[in-house]
Amino acid sequence: LRVHDNAILHAAAQAIQNNAADEVLPCYCLDPRHFQLTEHNSPKTHLFRARFLLESVNDLKQQLRAIGSDLLVVVGKPEEVIPELQPQHVLASEEPTWEEAQVARRLSRRLSGGANLETLWQYSLYHMDDIPYNRPDLSNFPDGFTSFRNKVENGNHCTVRALLPTPRAGTLPLPNSLPDGINFVPTVDDLPLPEAVHERYTTAAAGEQEARKDVSMPTFKGGERAALKRLDYYLWKSDLLSTYFDTRNGMLGGDYSTKLSCWLAHGCISPRKIHSECQRYEQERVCNKSTYWVTFELLWRDFLRFFCVKHGSRVFLVGGAKSVEKLSLIHI
């Protein structure tokens, strides 16, 4: 949910430039399955995350409109919504975890007219194609973090790729005939919530105002611009990066850690963008254990994602990925 360092937008812009495509229609599906109750009777997405997600989607829509594009936002399952648009080619993020992979497989099967689905990896600091392990299943990936860290931090094995350029105005031309709903800007009320979930959202909303009275905590607003503003504040406006290692395990207030995880999780900011800015900070301000430790935490994030690629659905077993219990999953 960003325009900077976005592999999908970059690939689409390249296709236009190379005359491999004439038009691009960015689309985001608010999947109803993400807002249901789980088998444990808890909302899969609660109010605060739902609101953050919607803010992020709406921010991306504004960012795309600023460069002459737009974002079609639809409440529906991707494997049902996207084939109805009759695309010639579909670009999407590559996701290793089970539910997302199931959706991608279903979507691929339902595309018609010679259309195909191409997935692009863009989640991690180190690209999955660059790490020194077997592709595509990472079968020889270690189950311990330290081994992974030592290998990737050795420059002889892999490096962090440069940031992809942000699309310029006019590089993502829209179709001449836009689908109905192109002006739809969703709110929480537009989400397909079961009654039980709606009641929990209402209760949470009532308590939110009380929680926001803690003025020492930052307001977490979704979107790329909010993410970049937080990054700028934490590094350049406050110099908090220089003491991150000493304060990162704090519990109170808004400045003891970067607080970037919510934006990272929704794709509002690229881990390579954070890494790039930390490197620039080291060159222009100070280089110490704290400035390195943010990259160290991003490495942990990479490790857990690649661990999911290796072990697949087994990461969801009660006994852990290496347990001997039988795997049984409910198909969505």
Side-chain angles (χ1 to χ4, degrees):
L1 295 174
R2 62 178 185 268
V3 295
H4 78 270
D5 198 30
N6 187 315
I8 295 173
L9 296 182
H10 178 68
Q14 289 293 104
I16 295 294
Q17 182 178 337
N18 296 330
N19 297 317
D22 299 318
E23 57 192 32
V24 177
L25 178 63
C27 178
Y28 188 88
C29 295
L30 290 164
D31 194 326
R33 291 167 294 205
H34 295 169
F35 303 94
Q36 306 302 304
L37 289 174
T38 70
E39 61 181 302
H40 304 293
N41 200 37
S42 59
K44 194 163 188 179
T45 303
H46 219 305
L47 172 69
F48 306 114
R49 185 181 172 205
R51 184 171 295 159
F52 190 94
L53 171 62
L54 293 177
E55 290 169 348
S56 301
V57 169
N58 294 338
D59 182 75
L60 177 59
K61 186 176 182 70
Q62 294 172 28
Q63 297 273 68
L64 287 169
R65 282 183 166 179
I67 58 173
S69 183
D70 209 327
L71 182 68
L72 176 66
V73 184
V74 182
V75 178
K77 299 176 181 179
E79 65 268 33
E80 296 175 357
V81 170
I82 294 174
E84 296 241 343
L85 297 172
Q86 299 181 331
Q88 294 180 334
H89 190 72
V90 178
L91 295 169
S93 293
E94 179 180 354
E95 297 286 349
T97 41
W98 187 79
E99 289 185 0
E100 290 79 4
Q102 286 283 96
V103 171
R105 282 191 288 270
R106 254 188 233 110
L107 170 58
S108 182
R109 288 196 300 265
R110 294 189 183 185
L111 292 174
S112 60
N116 67 302
L117 171 65
E118 179 184 357
T119 57
L120 304 173
W121 184 267
Q122 60 171 350
Y123 177 89
S124 52
L125 177 62
Y126 287 93
H127 196 285
M128 187 158 59
D129 289 342
D130 297 340
I131 60 175
Y133 302 103
N134 296 339
R135 283 285 271 143
D137 58 359
L138 302 187
S139 57
N140 61 337
F141 188 79
D143 290 331
F145 171 72
T146 301
S147 177
F148 164 70
R149 174 195 175 192
N150 291 340
K151 206 160 191 177
V152 298
E153 287 191 332
N154 183 336
N156 295 324
H157 290 289
C158 56
T159 57
V160 176
R161 293 186 182 186
L163 293 168
L164 294 171
T166 300
R168 301 186 309 278
T171 57
L172 299 171
L174 288 165
N176 291 327
S177 178
L178 293 172
D180 294 336
I182 191 66
N183 293 317
F184 175 56
V185 178
T187 67
V188 170
D189 293 333
D190 295 308
L191 298 178
L193 304 176
E195 184 176 349
V197 178
H198 182 76
E199 291 175 359
R200 295 184 189 213
Y201 273 37
T202 303
T203 302
E208 182 184 23
Q209 298 305 316
E210 187 68 26
R212 288 191 181 277
K213 290 181 180 179
D214 182 2
V215 294
S216 67
M217 287 298 294
T219 299
F220 295 110
K221 183 177 181 180
E224 177 180 18
R225 285 176 291 188
L228 295 175
K229 183 178 179 181
R230 174 66 186 181
L231 181 65
D232 180 65
Y233 166 77
Y234 196 81
L235 272 65
W236 304 105
K237 286 189 167 56
S238 66
D239 275 319
L240 289 167
L241 177 62
S242 64
T243 57
Y244 171 76
F245 182 82
D246 302 316
T247 64
R248 72 193 191 284
N249 293 325
M251 297 291 289
L252 301 175
D255 288 345
Y256 62 83
S257 65
T258 69
K259 296 292 187 292
L260 290 170
S261 59
C262 52
W263 289 289
L264 273 167
H266 289 79
C268 301
I269 192 168
S270 158
R272 294 193 301 220
K273 176 65 174 179
I274 298 172
H275 174 71
S276 175
E277 285 298 292
C278 287
Q279 284 192 318
R280 185 164 73 91
Y281 184 91
E282 288 177 335
Q283 294 169 357
E284 298 181 14
R285 296 276 175 93
V286 64
C287 179
N288 59 24
K289 189 172 185 177
S290 288
T291 59
Y292 160 73
W293 215 253
V294 171
T295 297
F296 173 82
E297 304 287 11
L298 291 174
L299 274 179
W300 260 110
R301 184 173 178 269
D302 277 13
F303 169 77
L304 294 171
R305 195 69 163 190
F306 295 141
F307 187 87
C308 287
V309 174
K310 175 183 177 180
H311 290 285
S313 301
R314 297 194 66 83
V315 299
F316 299 106
L317 293 176
V318 174
K322 300 181 73 175
S323 67
V324 296
E325 63 186 291
K326 192 173 181 180
L327 185 64
S328 177
L329 292 170
I330 300 173
H331 288 264
I332 59 173

